[in-house]
Amino acid sequence: MRLLVTGGAGFIGSNFVRYVLGERPAVRVTVLDNLSYAGSLRSLEGLDPERFRFVRGDIADADLVGGLVPEHDAIVHFAAESHNDNSLRDPTPFVHTNLVGTFTLLEAARRHDVRFHHISTDEVYGDLALDDPARFTESTPYNPSSPYSSTKAGSDLLVRAWVRSFGVRATISNCSNNYGPYQHVEKFIPRQITNVLTGLRPKLYGDGLNVRDWIHTEDHSSAVLAILERGRIGETYLIGADGERSNREVVEAILELLGEPSDAYDLVRDRPGHDVRYAIDSSKLRAELGWAPRYTDFRAGLAATIQWYREHEDWWRPAKDEVEAAYAAQGQ
Ligand code: NAD
Ligand code: DAU
């Protein structure tokens, strides 16, 4: 099995590459990544060169993609502009990568009849009220809020159309918020951990009561592999690990685990259009493919993640000041 993994130098992609090479000795991986601000070759260090190759390039480059795709049995498509706050500052690269990039890959998959798995997000469904007993399912209507989530929703719809109209052998997964090693310091959990480690106070948007449904990134990887190998073509699978927590609860846990008072955080300007709550019902994935998460103790997973950031300051330090300056400029 030769896999073309787009976005493999990013957070979830690099974790997936390590996971699949570890779990499947017969698999070979090519990573296609343009090394945007969010990608780093340092996240892929130490992989076996006999089974792993890196290609730097843009997924919207039709010539490059057209040459690579026929050399592979499947595409696992992680590459995206992934951060909501950035999409509010400038949506332009989100349209390019998430929409034009996905279209370019789909066209190549169609031309060469290559299996395609599309990585998406629960944010395509919009948000839920805090007191709503409902969770997202595969039949929840699309209702995205931000430039990021609307371009992800658009890319999902392209995949669905390419399955139905052209017979592309594709599946889609929509996952909830990931945490774990190699996540960029712009994102919530790494930002707060590295704030404390550098003497800054954690920053909570608004009242801090928004809820996210956390899953360890290794559990996301195992779910993607299950869908790639055993998922039904044309189907969508929601991935989640029953990890609902308010942002305030998460910050308090980070502070406690780092030996700080649990109220040593600041409330800052809210994100415009801030989704209130995400919650995933992953029954279909569990029942159909027998998948279950391994990281069921969020506090233990968080403690391990904190330890990783303690031990890898050389990985995150170069990006930290610029990220904080951009947040400070908008009162966050
Ligand atoms: P990330 O920002 O850490 O990584 C994205 C990677 O894509 C980077 O390595 C970047 O260099 C690369 N990339 C960006 N534009 C590219 C282009 N035009 N051509 C080639 N490579 C390009 O993102 P992530 O958090 O790892 O997310 C990966 C995927 O998972 C995304 O599709 C995202 O929508 C989805 N997702 C993320 C989460 C989450 O919690 N982070 C949850 C559900 C789904
Ligand atoms: O749900 C899946 C999505 O999760 C993915 O599709 C996205 O790629 C990923 O970035 C993530 O989106 P969020 O917007 O939920 O993640 P973020 O880490 O930016 O923020 C998580 C929550 O924390 C959100 O409610 C905003 C809040 N927040 C964020 C930052 C950076 C803060 O309160 N303070 C902060 O400093």
Side-chain angles (χ1 to χ4, degrees), residues 286-306:
R286 292 171 192 248
E288 229 179 75
L289 303 184
W291 174 85
R294 215 167 63 81
Y295 289 81
T296 48
D297 180 341
F298 177 71
R299 207 178 163 87
L302 192 58
T305 303
I306 289 173

Side-chain angles (χ1 to χ4, degrees), residues 16-25 27 29 47 51-52:
F16 176 77
V17 169
R18 277 179 204 289
Y19 180 81
V20 76
L21 288 174
E23 294 289 316
R24 296 288 182 271
V27 163
V29 168
L47 299 175
R51 299 176 58 209
F52 168 73

Side-chain angles (χ1 to χ4, degrees), residues 6-14 32-40 57-60 77-83 93 96-98 101 118-123 148 152 173-179 182-184 186-187 214-215 220:
T6 71
F11 164 47
I12 304 174
S14 64
L32 172 61
D33 196 299
N34 69 351
L35 296 182
S36 76
Y37 80 94
S40 171
D58 186 343
I59 56 165
H77 175 35
F78 290 94
E81 284 291 335
S82 68
H83 193 37
H96 173 80
T97 294
N98 300 358
H118 179 60
I119 308 295
S120 192
T121 168
D122 59 359
E123 295 194 15
Y148 162 66
K152 290 298 292 188
S173 55
N174 298 79
C175 189
S176 60
N177 285 64
N178 285 221
Y179 72 100
Y182 299 104
Q183 188 169 27
H184 197 275
E186 69 188 357
K187 301 297 197 311
W214 294 99
I215 180 172
H220 190 178

Side-chain angles (χ1 to χ4, degrees), residues 90-113:
D90 178 12
T92 313
F94 289 77
V95 172
H96 173 80
T97 294
N98 300 358
L99 289 170
V100 181
T102 302
F103 160 74
T104 307
L105 290 164
L106 281 168
E107 282 290 82
R110 161 158 91 114
R111 211 172 312 117
H112 301 287
D113 188 25

Side-chain angles (χ1 to χ4, degrees), residues 234-290:
E235 291 293 313
T236 290
Y237 296 87
L238 263 55
I239 306 174
D242 300 334
E244 281 189 71
R245 299 274 183 298
S246 75
N247 294 337
R248 193 183 290 187
E249 286 175 285
V250 174
V251 159
E252 287 172 353
I254 291 170
L255 284 162
E256 284 164 20
L257 288 164
L258 282 163
E260 300 289 329
S262 61
D263 60 353
Y265 57 79
D266 296 329
L267 296 178
V268 296
R269 192 175 74 89
D270 207 354
R271 173 185 284 170
H274 195 174
D275 280 341
V276 174
R277 170 175 160 249
Y278 306 139
I280 288 268
D281 177 347
S282 57
S283 310
K284 176 178 171 181
L285 174 67
R286 292 171 192 248
E288 229 179 75
L289 303 184

